[in-house]
Amino acid sequence: MGDRLIIVSNRLPYRLGRGEDGERKLEHSSGGLVSGMGPLHERHGNVWVGWADEGGQELSARERAEFDAQLVAHDCVPVHVCEEDAHGYYDGFSNSTLWPLFHGFPQYTSFEEADWEAYRRVNERFCEAVLSVARPGDTVWVHDYHLMLLPSLIRKASPQTAIGFFLHIPFPDYETFRMLPWRQELLLGTLSADLIGFHTYDYVRHFLSSCRRLLGYDNHLGHFLFEGRSTQADAFPLGIDYDRFHNAALEPKAACQIERIRADRERPGSKTMLSVERLDYTKGIPERLRAFDAFLQRHPSWRENVVLKLVAVPSREGVASYQSLKREVDELVGSINGRYATSDWTPVEYYYRSVPFDLLTALYATSDVMLVTPLRDGMNLVCKEYLACRGDGGGALVLSEMAGATYELHEALVVNPFDRDAMVEAMLRALEMPPDEQRCRVSAMQKRLARYTAGKWAEEFLAALDGVLRHQARLNAHLLGPTSSRRLQEAFAQASKRLVLLDYDGTLVPFVDEPSDAAPDDGLKALIARIAADPATTLAIVSGRDKETLMEWFGDLPVGLVAEHGLWRYSVSQRQWLLREPLDGAWKDRIRQTLLDFVDRTPGSILEEKDYSMAWHYRACSNELAERRVIEIKSALSGVAADMGLMLMEGNRVLEVKPVHVDKGSAAHHWFRDPSYDFMLVAGDDVTDEDMFRTAPENAWTVKVRNEPTQARYALKNPAEMRSLLRGLAEASAPRFEGRSGIM
Ligand code: ADQ
């Protein structure tokens, strides 16, 4: 990984504010992203690219230039976007399409082509800004849903750049995500990153499932190959700057606020419940207010003895759903206060504004109960900040199970925010929680938060990115580049007797959902014919397919054929299929019904029956279901298989039952044992081809057509690259007969 980090997010860590004297000045923005990335940004040379937030102030051209200059002096690169695009990109696609849909609010989601176009254009503007400062060796870390196209734009312009992407909001399940008309573009946009981070493993799972179902990309423990590059998706739960919050309550400024808040309490001994957030429909504010209403209704003894302080920062006021939420909250607060307030008690104290840091920490430190009950929240930092401010180890946290933070904070009182009874119950438990229990729960959570801070989160993400880059470098060391390809072709041209063994599916043609749709095209056949036509070359297709299919496809060419992973070999000279060893296929009757039952129960799967093997294909099935079924089939058949000398072999989205000892390696041995070959090329793409790679003589050119760990000496990225290699061999081959053309 490079030495310099370029952080990219929608907003910069500074915005334009006004000092006490009314003068314009840069202000630090707050929030988790800034506290996580802040220390990294301050490291020498690092820069932050983002949208320049003018804080709603009208600026002249000269004032804007001054603002820019100030930002640049703080190692920021401002991105300027015209007003129309800014509206379509920010209020439109980011906050009226992605935000509601990703949080599971399809009813608030708009699908406007013009917004999407603005989003694309603004992502391109960000790309230009990144490229204007990027130098070779830099690492770019892109943040959040506003910039999901940016990784692929940067990758296209600068293929070698290390790119990380982190999504701060939930990634929805496939059923929700697939509603987006631009779903594939968004997935492809992020997949060009080397590492894709989410707050929780659930979001990782959802993302991987969408990649599989919408793009057909499989993964292995979150690793997958995208355009020949290894990419990883993983969970990194964001923390907070724990010490900053923990120490804040001890600062004189906050201590003074704390004193004031305590003195202002309407009644000695009364308690405070607090909620703090942006005014957003995902945060569950109306639901919380209704629960509080029900609480006061059911527990009259708490009337006049508890106050709910509701602190909501104005947010996205340009979006209609936020305007109606504001009205709803105003009305609910009015109705509760109207119903229960007395001359010296107001049940809900509502502050519709951002509060300064010292007041915020003082509120945290003095509130008996913190209510964090979003309907959906990627992580939620407020609950973590509250805990960090409890220097006394007291307080009680009511936390929604829909927040990503719940996974780390299970000592909280965890509630379903949609369940009003459960919310009322949790409020009561929190208010009545004995001090010992409070301390026990809070200190357990504090220990975890103090360890996994925002800084640690950033470090771990960058270390994981470094790990992915090292993994790629190891894999790429195997790639058959131009120099080794040339050497391979020279060795081929100079050899007097050559062997070329080629797997078919995934090696010569890409995978398709229906196995029978993968017939060779004319170009491929012409290419194989030309290589095989040279009398000095023996070419064989070594496949898992049945012999009838191979005969139909290649029977008219002078090529050797191996079917069913080595069970059958077609002898060109004898013009007949030879069975590798005498076998009995009676076992198929014993397991056929079991496999057919699995086909019925697994939509999209098919059973292929060959002479001495049976293959259950699940390429067109949902990933989760297929994974589960593979385990079930293995356990259903393991006993029978052992009794009958069979093995269960997993290939590329296929589970095959076949006799033990029959594999492509032993089939290829028929040629490998002949010492007169002075050139051997063996190519394949999946686990069954590894048997050939393992048994091939040391000097053979073994090539895996997938850039992943292998026994082969070299790797190519895809069948297209394999064809291009074969084209080179065809040109070096001596044609046996003239007049063939159309080599592709
Ligand atoms: P948000 O939806 O903004 O963030 P959250 O994580 O709670 O939610 O962060 C809010 C931040 O704003 C906190 O640092 C809080 O202190 C501050 N804040 C809230 N109300 C305030 C007020 N009235 N005055 C001053 N400050 C206030 C998104 C995702 C989250 C995810 C974060 C970080 O929606 O799920 O946790 O990004 O990844």
Side-chain angles (χ1 to χ4, degrees), residues 146 155 184 190 215 310 367 466 743:
H146 315 86
R155 174 74 63 229
Q184 277 167 329
T190 55
L215 302 174
L310 188 70
S367 296
D466 206 16
I743 291 176

Side-chain angles (χ1 to χ4, degrees), residues 124-141:
E124 278 160 15
R125 293 285 304 110
F126 269 81
C127 182
E128 287 161 20
V130 170
L131 295 176
S132 74
V133 287
R135 297 195 295 248
D138 284 349
T139 295
V140 181
W141 187 353

